Amino acid sequence: MNTKNTSCKFENDAKRLSALAHPVRLKIVRHLVHENACCVKNLVERVDLAQSTVSQHLKTLLNAGLVTYQTRQQSSWYEINREEFAKLSDSLNVMFDECCNCEVMPSSDKNVTKK
């Protein structure tokens, strides 16, 4: 992968991770994972916050590509973008595999406590 593509991929991953880095957004995502689609009203009831607050969190998740929405009659319905979550999962798995498969350098004698 060339440097430009790698940089773009890292930026996309960072944007997605940043969107997930809030307890309310994680709660919203967990709820949406178990639903085919959910309207804002149901999400407001689920997280017990004002509709405007929930809408702001949904906007962050939408901008990161982690959720999608459709307008049905007079309400917006949200659902998980499983394809984007799969991409993020793959990216994190590669990083964790690379990290965990690296050989750990032995500690220097200075840092080892002798008994």
Side-chain angles (χ1 to χ4, degrees), residues 3 6 13 16 24 29 46 49 53 66 78 88 102 106 114:
T3 305
T6 302
D13 289 347
R16 291 181 191 115
V24 171
V29 165
R46 183 71 174 190
L49 292 170
T53 303
L66 296 173
Y78 293 84
L88 179 59
C102 291
K114 295 182 181 180

Side-chain angles (χ1 to χ4, degrees), residues 27-89:
K27 192 171 185 178
I28 290 170
V29 165
R30 292 211 37 145
H31 181 69
L32 290 174
V33 163
H34 299 289
E35 302 289 328
N36 287 335
C38 189
C39 69
V40 175
K41 179 184 174 194
N42 291 345
L43 288 169
V44 167
E45 292 170 0
R46 183 71 174 190
V47 298
D48 195 30
L49 292 170
Q51 183 173 342
S52 60
T53 303
V54 173
S55 293
Q56 277 301 119
H57 286 296
L58 286 166
K59 182 179 178 183
T60 299
L61 293 167
L62 275 165
N63 289 339
L66 296 173
V67 298
T68 61
Y69 81 99
Q70 296 178 16
T71 302
R72 295 182 190 169
Q73 296 172 350
Q74 293 182 352
S75 60
S76 296
W77 287 73
Y78 293 84
E79 62 185 296
I80 289 293
N81 185 340
R82 296 183 190 280
E83 183 178 316
E84 290 302 314
F85 268 93
K87 288 178 187 176
L88 179 59
S89 177

